[in-house]
């Protein structure tokens, strides 16, 4: 649950920007592309964090 | 989580370069046009690679003076991460070269020097796999790592500067000058380099910790 809240709080500014259509249609829709890149990169970061936690768990078991 | 601030800082710096790097105003250059933005992404791969290899080299020296096996594990983990950045740098560079210089590969001294450097580091990984005794492996590969790092500096740092090169900042010019980089580019480029170095350190530390677990 904590993870979902954290992910939501990261993505909410993006969601807020997406609600404001003038932002997303602006800059020749380049902002949509930037939004997509942001989502992928945040996902990649979250994946690194989850790997880190998994390794931590193995270290604690040892 | 240990080192949480640097991990988050690294991700945020890269995110800044990915977003602001596309919004920002860039100088209008002939031929290169908007692709000058590749400076933020392609060049930062190489900077991150050089930093990874330099710290790997430092750990190799550290191993030889202390015989501490953890130093050997750090050294190889950093070199592997550096290799990843160099592969990314090479692929992105090839794409950029195709649409700037007109060919996927040119006989530019920096390109050939990089290819040689990558082969030298590949030999390092192969060399490690051929030695079974861990202490012996650590000692021999530390010595080889020192050789590899010096060769890298010669092939990508010195030789391209002594001959004509398609890369900016080579052929007798200093690496950075007012013609190549203006402040608008610096504002995104330096944070991108720092971000990738931090995230590279993180990835290398994950590899190092997995190696520790395998011991």
């Amino acid at each position: 649950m904590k993870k979902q809240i954290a992910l939501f709080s990261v993505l909410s500014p993006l969601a807020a920007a997406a609600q404001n259509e003038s932002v997303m249609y602006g800059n020749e829709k380049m902002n949509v592309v930037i939004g997509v890149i942001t989502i992928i990169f945040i996902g990649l970061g979250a994946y690194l964090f989850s790997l880190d936690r998994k390794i931590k768990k193995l270290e604690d078991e040892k | 989580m240990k080192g949480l601030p640097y991990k988050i800082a690294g991700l945020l710096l890269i995110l800044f370069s990915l977003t602001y790097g596309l919004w920002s105003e860039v100088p209008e250059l002939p031929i290169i046009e908007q692709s000058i933005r590749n400076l933020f992404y392609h060049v930062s791969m190489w900077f991150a690679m050089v930093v990874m290899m330099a710290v790997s080299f430092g750990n190799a020296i550290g191993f030889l003076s202390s015989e501490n096996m953890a130093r050997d594990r750090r050294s190889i983990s950093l070199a592997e991460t550096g290799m990843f950045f160099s592969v990314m740098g090479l692929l992105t560079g090839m794409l950029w070269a195709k649409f700037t210089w007109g060919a996927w590969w040119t006989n530019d001294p920096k390109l050939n020097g990089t290819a040689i450097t990558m082969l030298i580091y590949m030999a390092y990984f192969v060399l490690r796999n051929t030695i079974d005794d861990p202490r012996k492996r650590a000692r021999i590969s530390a010595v080889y790592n020192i050789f590899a790092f010096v060769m890298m500096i010669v092939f990508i740092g010195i030789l391209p500067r002594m001959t004509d090169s398609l890369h900016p900042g080579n052929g007798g010019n200093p690496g950075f000058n007012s013609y190549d980089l203006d402040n608008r580019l610096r504002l995104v480029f330096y944070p991108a380099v720092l971000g990738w170095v931090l995230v590279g350190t993180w990835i290398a530390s994950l590899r190092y910790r997995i190696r520790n677990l395998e011991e």
Side-chain angles (χ1 to χ4, degrees), chain B residues 71-117:
Chain B
R71 291 284 194 148
D72 174 61
R73 292 195 288 272
R74 277 183 204 278
S75 189
I76 173 69
S77 304
L78 283 155
E80 284 168 347
T81 314
M83 194 68 194
F84 167 75
F85 282 123
S86 77
V87 171
M88 292 296 122
L90 197 75
L91 293 176
T92 54
M94 282 171 75
L95 183 66
W96 198 8
K98 173 68 186 163
F99 297 100
T100 310
W101 302 331
W104 296 101
W105 194 270
T106 63
N107 264 331
D108 185 89
K110 206 154 203 167
L111 269 67
N112 289 335
T114 307
I116 296 168
T117 303

Side-chain angles (χ1 to χ4, degrees), chain A residues 27 30-31 33-34 37-38 41-42 44-46 48-49 51-53 55-56 58-59 62, chain B residues 1 4 7-8 11 14-15 18-19 22-23 196 199 202-203 206 209-210 212-215:
Chain A
N27 200 4
M30 196 60 191
N31 290 348
V33 179
I34 293 171
I37 293 172
T38 305
F41 188 72
I42 288 173
L44 209 62
L48 266 180
F49 273 114
L51 265 181
D52 200 324
R53 258 196 304 273
I55 294 172
K56 183 92 186 69
L58 285 171
E59 284 170 340
K62 218 179 181 184
Chain B
M1 188 176 291
L4 190 62
K7 291 166 182 172
I8 289 177
L11 289 175
I14 297 172
L15 189 58
L18 291 175
T19 53
L22 298 178
W23 276 314
W196 284 111
V199 170
W202 185 8
I203 295 170
L206 292 178
R209 285 160 61 191
I210 292 171
N212 278 346
L213 287 169
E214 283 169 349
E215 281 307 298

Side-chain angles (χ1 to χ4, degrees), chain B residues 43 65 70 77 81 93-94 123 129 139 146 152 159 167 180 192 212:
Chain B
V43 185
S65 62
S77 304
T81 314
M94 282 171 75
N129 285 332
R139 216 170 295 131
I146 293 169
M152 180 184 85
L159 289 181
H167 276 88
D180 300 331
N212 278 346

Side-chain angles (χ1 to χ4, degrees), chain B residues 174-196:
Chain B
F176 292 108
N177 58 44
S178 50
Y179 307 109
D180 300 331
L181 269 185
D182 78 353
N183 285 327
R184 287 172 293 179
L185 296 177
R186 281 201 184 90
L187 178 68
V188 186
F189 177 56
Y190 291 151
V193 169
L194 184 61
W196 284 111

